[in-house]
Amino acid sequence: KAGVTQTPRYLIKTRGQQVTLSCSPISGHRSVSWYQQTPGQGLQFLFEYFSETQRNKGNFPGRFSGRQFSNSRSEMNVSTLELGDSALYLCASSSSDEQFFGPGTRLTVL
Amino acid sequence: QKEVEQNSGPLSVPEGAIASLNCTYSDRGSQSFFWYRQYSGKSPELIMFIYSNGDKEDGRFTAQLNKASQYVSLLIRDSQPSDSATYLCAVMTGNTGKLIFGQGTTLQVKP
């Protein structure tokens, strides 16, 4: 089985711009969770989607949003980028409790 | 108090020794516990998960859970230099899809 894929792998944006990241889960997995990883805060939960519905949301501002499509692929969007949004964004797919991470998207905001 | 706490390390052990990594959590309702390994510049890789009190073994790895003490640990037997990485403890409460991670413990295995 192919693993979790994320695109793009690297992204450079400037403050005020918006960005869309994509995640394709493992075939058959219907749940996709998104996380932000920074050196200072570690891994923090953004949100989780299951069958196109957001089931859970972390403590991030409304600039962070996501969606899931009928084929379980998911996207997350960050609007009005800030310098502090520079991070590794990880998605994880699961069919039960165990989550399997993709390679991540490294976002740099200048 | 952080929800999931780990000693950041580094924990240094000689090759062939047992490495012991520890994690405490604050939410008594937590039901699922996970250990991930993360190499520098890579994404986390699931090593083990445990749901019930006691020990669970998988090859050189043993996860131990004590819900009364709100404590979970990971033992790595016969440690190898390739085990050098950051080990992340994660906890889930219910089937929420939300993992709460500790800050991770850096393990160094010296040849």
Side-chain angles (χ1 to χ4, degrees):
Chain A
K1 260 188 185 177
V4 180
T5 58
Q6 291 187 246
T7 57
R9 294 291 312 278
Y10 303 91
L11 209 47
I12 299 175
K13 293 286 187 179
T14 56
R15 279 180 298 174
Q17 287 188 308
Q18 75 164 19
V19 67
T20 299
L21 312 181
S22 181
C23 172
S24 292
I26 293 169
S27 178
H29 287 191
R30 295 165 64 188
S31 170
V32 173
S33 298
W34 287 90
Y35 296 84
Q36 180 196 66
Q37 187 173 32
T38 59
Q41 299 299 315
L43 265 159
Q44 293 186 288
F45 173 80
L46 282 155
F47 30 65
E48 187 244 1
Y49 285 87
F50 180 86
S51 293
E52 301 178 66
T53 300
Q54 187 183 89
R55 288 200 301 188
N56 210 340
K57 190 177 189 305
N59 296 322
F60 279 82
R63 300 184 297 107
F64 292 82
S65 63
R67 59 178 176 168
Q68 187 179 34
F69 303 95
S70 58
N71 61 357
S72 295
R73 189 177 70 86
S74 179
E75 289 182 348
M76 68 163 282
N77 183 277
V78 188
S79 62
T80 319
L81 284 165
E82 300 177 359
L83 295 178
D85 296 334
S86 294
L88 180 65
Y89 289 88
L90 294 156
C91 80
S93 84
S94 67
S95 59
S96 58
D97 283 350
E98 299 91 72
Q99 296 188 8
F100 301 91
F101 284 87
T105 295
R106 172 76 61 186
L107 172 64
T108 302
V109 182
L110 302 175
Chain B
Q1 181 191 8
K2 291 184 179 177
E3 293 181 85
V4 179
E5 295 206 51
Q6 296 180 255
N7 187 322
S8 61
L11 172 66
S12 184
V13 300
E15 184 175 355
I18 296 175
S20 178
L21 303 158
N22 305 314
C23 172
T24 58
Y25 59 95
S26 61
D27 186 352
R28 285 196 170 273
S30 299
Q31 298 173 329
S32 309
F33 307 86
F34 305 86
W35 283 100
Y36 285 84
R37 175 174 62 195
Q38 187 172 27
Y39 293 109
S40 181
K42 300 294 185 181
S43 62
E45 171 194 7
L46 180 64
I47 302 174
M48 290 195 69
F49 54 91
I50 186 167
Y51 303 126
S52 305
N53 275 329
D55 295 0
K56 179 181 179 182
E57 187 175 316
D58 184 0
R60 296 187 297 115
F61 300 95
T62 298
Q64 299 175 316
L65 175 61
N66 183 325
K67 289 187 178 181
S69 300
Q70 295 173 248
Y71 175 91
V72 58
S73 65
L74 179 70
L75 300 178
I76 307 175
R77 289 180 299 280
D78 188 24
S79 296
Q80 301 297 310
S82 58
D83 294 326
S84 298
T86 296
Y87 288 79
L88 296 160
C89 171
V91 171
M92 185 184 292
T93 302
N95 183 21
T96 61
K98 174 182 178 180
L99 288 174
I100 301 172
F101 284 86
Q103 287 291 99
T105 298
T106 300
L107 173 66
Q108 296 174 346
V109 181
K110 303 203 169 179

